Amino acid sequence: MKKKTNLLNSLARMEDYRRAIRGKSFRERGKDFEERVKRDLKKKGFKIFKSHNKHYDILAKKGDKKYAIECKLTKSSFSQAEMEFSHKAKKEGLIYRTAIRQKNGRIKYSS
C-alpha cells in the first residue's frame, strides 16, 4: 500500500510541476528551479547568499563549508566550462555542486 501511495504522490508532484511550467520560457523555468533549490537547501539548514558570480547560481554555507551550486533543468554532460568553474570554485575555497531536476520532479545534488 505504501508503494502505491508513494507512486501517487510522485505522479501528483509531476502533474503539479507540468501545470506550473506550462507557458513559461526556459529561462523562467530555470529561475523557478533555482528558487526551489534555495528553499530545499534552507530546509536542510544551509544559509543562502546571492551569487554575484555568473558561474554559480547559488552560494550556500553550512557550518564551516561553503558551496557554489549550479542549477540544471536537464541532465547534461559535464562541459569543459563547468570543469573550469569547478576548479575555480576550489581555488576560492568553495565546494562545487550541481543541482539537477530529475524526471520525477525531485532534486538530485552531485557529490
Side-chain angles (χ1 to χ4, degrees):
M1 184 68 175
K2 188 170 182 164
K3 279 187 176 182
K4 187 175 182 181
T5 304
N6 288 341
L7 176 63
L8 291 174
N9 287 338
S10 181
L11 290 172
R13 273 195 311 271
M14 286 172 50
E15 186 56 35
D16 288 343
Y17 177 75
R18 285 189 187 114
R19 271 193 221 109
I21 66 168
R22 215 171 266 143
K24 289 190 176 183
S25 72
F26 199 70
R27 178 176 280 177
E28 289 172 321
R29 285 186 248 168
K31 288 291 180 192
D32 288 349
F33 182 62
E34 281 180 33
E35 291 302 318
R36 197 167 142 226
V37 170
K38 286 178 186 178
R39 284 192 306 269
D40 186 55
L41 290 170
K42 282 181 183 177
K43 281 184 196 174
K44 293 179 179 182
F46 285 83
K47 189 170 182 181
I48 306 300
F49 300 94
K50 181 154 177 68
S51 175
H52 296 288
N53 186 325
K54 65 178 181 178
H55 305 300
Y56 321 124
D57 293 324
I58 301 170
L59 291 174
K61 182 178 179 183
K62 187 172 186 180
D64 293 339
K65 296 182 179 180
K66 297 175 186 174
Y67 297 86
I69 301 168
E70 178 70 21
C71 299
K72 297 279 188 187
L73 279 177
T74 59
K75 186 176 179 180
S76 61
S77 60
F78 209 56
S79 71
Q80 183 64 32
E82 287 172 312
M83 195 77 95
E84 290 171 16
F85 300 157
S86 171
H87 293 301
K88 185 176 181 179
K90 284 181 185 176
K91 286 181 184 176
E92 295 174 5
L94 302 169
I95 301 167
Y96 185 81
R97 296 286 185 257
T98 55
I100 301 169
R101 182 182 54 83
Q102 295 181 311
K103 287 184 180 181
N104 62 6
R106 293 189 178 164
I107 303 168
K108 179 180 179 182
Y109 297 97
S110 67
S111 52

